[in-house]
Amino acid sequence: MNSYKQSLYSALIRVMANLLMVGAVFLAMYQAARGASSEITFCLWFFGITVPLWASAFYLNRVIKRRFPAEQESLIDLPRQGRCLVRWRVLEASGRPGLLSR
């Protein structure tokens, strides 16, 4: 269930960020049409909105991954690093069940 929630919330964050990007383009074009130096005005408005927007989107994705870890991921307490999100993967199956391998 956590994998579903994680992918759903990440997709919603990406969709909202892209919609806000379209709004940023329109707002920057509008402000550029009003000003004298349109290229500089467009760049200031566009990058002034999009850089914090995508930084916050990446941050929210990290929060979502920590809050709803996938089934192959878990939070563990490491001695020097504290709580960390680690990804678990089984590389190969053990021998026959019930027997110890050498």
Side-chain angles (χ1 to χ4, degrees):
M1 189 64 172
N2 279 346
S3 295
Y4 174 74
K5 286 182 182 179
Q6 180 184 12
S7 62
L8 175 69
Y9 293 147
S10 294
L12 287 175
I13 290 170
R14 282 193 306 272
V15 167
M16 289 303 297
N18 283 319
L19 288 175
L20 290 173
M21 279 284 294
V22 171
V25 169
F26 286 125
L27 182 64
M29 287 175 22
Y30 174 73
Q31 293 296 331
R34 293 179 60 210
S37 59
S38 61
E39 186 176 350
I40 298 294
T41 306
F42 176 82
C43 289
L44 287 175
W45 277 91
F46 179 72
F47 291 114
I49 294 172
T50 57
V51 170
L53 173 71
W54 283 106
S56 62
F58 285 126
Y59 175 75
L60 284 175
N61 271 330
R62 289 181 68 177
V63 169
I64 293 298
K65 285 183 181 182
R66 287 188 184 272
R67 181 146 170 96
F68 301 107
E71 283 81 11
Q72 300 88 2
E73 298 175 342
S74 60
L75 286 170
I76 62 170
D77 290 325
L78 295 175
R80 293 189 182 127
Q81 294 178 346
R83 288 184 68 109
C84 289
L85 182 66
V86 294
R87 183 169 293 166
W88 299 94
R89 184 171 51 172
V90 177
L91 295 178
E92 64 184 54
S94 63
R96 293 189 308 200
L99 295 177
L100 295 174
S101 59
R102 293 183 187 179

